[in-house]
């Protein structure tokens, strides 16, 4: 690591991560960000656990319902394909029967 007060640059992977995450690059902005994050933490400490649990339950229910909608959509699509296939087979047989009747 770097010694306190050192003017040496941190390793490239750290500066690349710092830039990627768009962290501030001066002490004043870092202090400001820390204050904002401390405020967010303070707000989350006072959250009613019942509300948080209800939120988690609703989020899980939404996830389950979205999965069910996708599953039902696939089932519906498969049923529509089967209906179309049966219809085509039925019409082919019907057309053949009509042709035989017309020949007589």
């Amino acid at each position: 690591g770097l010694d306190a007060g050192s003017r040496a640059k941190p390793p490239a992977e750290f500066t690349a991560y710092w830039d990627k995450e768009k962290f501030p690059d001066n002490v004043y902005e870092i202090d400001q960000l820390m204050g904002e994050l401390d405020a967010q933490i303070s707000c989350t400490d006072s959250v009613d656990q019942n509300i948080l649990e209800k939120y988690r339950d609703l989020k899980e229910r939404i996830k389950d319902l979205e999965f069910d909608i996708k599953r039902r959509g696939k089932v519906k699509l498969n049923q529509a394909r089967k209906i179309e296939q049966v219809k085509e087979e039925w019409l082919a047989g019907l057309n053949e029967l009509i042709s035989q009747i017309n020949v007589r």
Side-chain angles (χ1 to χ4, degrees):
L2 300 176
D3 294 327
S6 172
R7 297 275 181 200
K9 299 258 183 200
E13 63 267 11
F14 291 122
T15 55
Y17 177 76
W18 197 266
D19 292 340
K20 178 183 158 216
E21 295 297 320
K22 296 184 172 66
F23 290 134
D25 59 357
N26 66 55
V27 175
Y28 174 75
E29 290 176 350
I30 292 171
D31 284 340
Q32 187 177 4
L33 178 60
M34 282 179 44
E36 291 171 6
L37 293 174
D38 282 340
Q40 288 178 5
I41 289 171
S42 295
C43 289
T44 58
D45 285 343
S46 63
V47 171
D48 183 354
Q49 290 302 313
N50 291 331
I51 293 173
L52 190 57
E53 186 63 30
K54 188 174 183 178
Y55 168 79
R56 288 183 183 136
D57 290 344
L58 288 173
K59 192 172 180 180
E60 185 66 28
R61 180 156 165 77
I62 289 169
K63 182 179 162 187
D64 292 344
L65 289 172
E66 287 173 341
F67 178 79
D68 194 42
I69 288 170
K70 286 181 185 177
R71 183 189 59 79
R72 288 177 185 221
K74 289 177 184 177
V75 168
K76 182 179 176 183
L77 183 61
N78 287 337
Q79 288 174 341
R81 286 180 183 153
K82 287 179 184 177
I83 289 170
E84 189 61 33
Q85 181 182 2
V86 168
K87 178 182 166 186
E88 288 173 9
E89 292 171 0
W90 181 78
L91 283 175
L94 182 61
N95 286 335
E96 184 179 329
L97 182 61
I98 291 173
S99 294
Q100 291 174 0
I101 292 172
N102 286 337
V103 170
R104 290 186 187 166

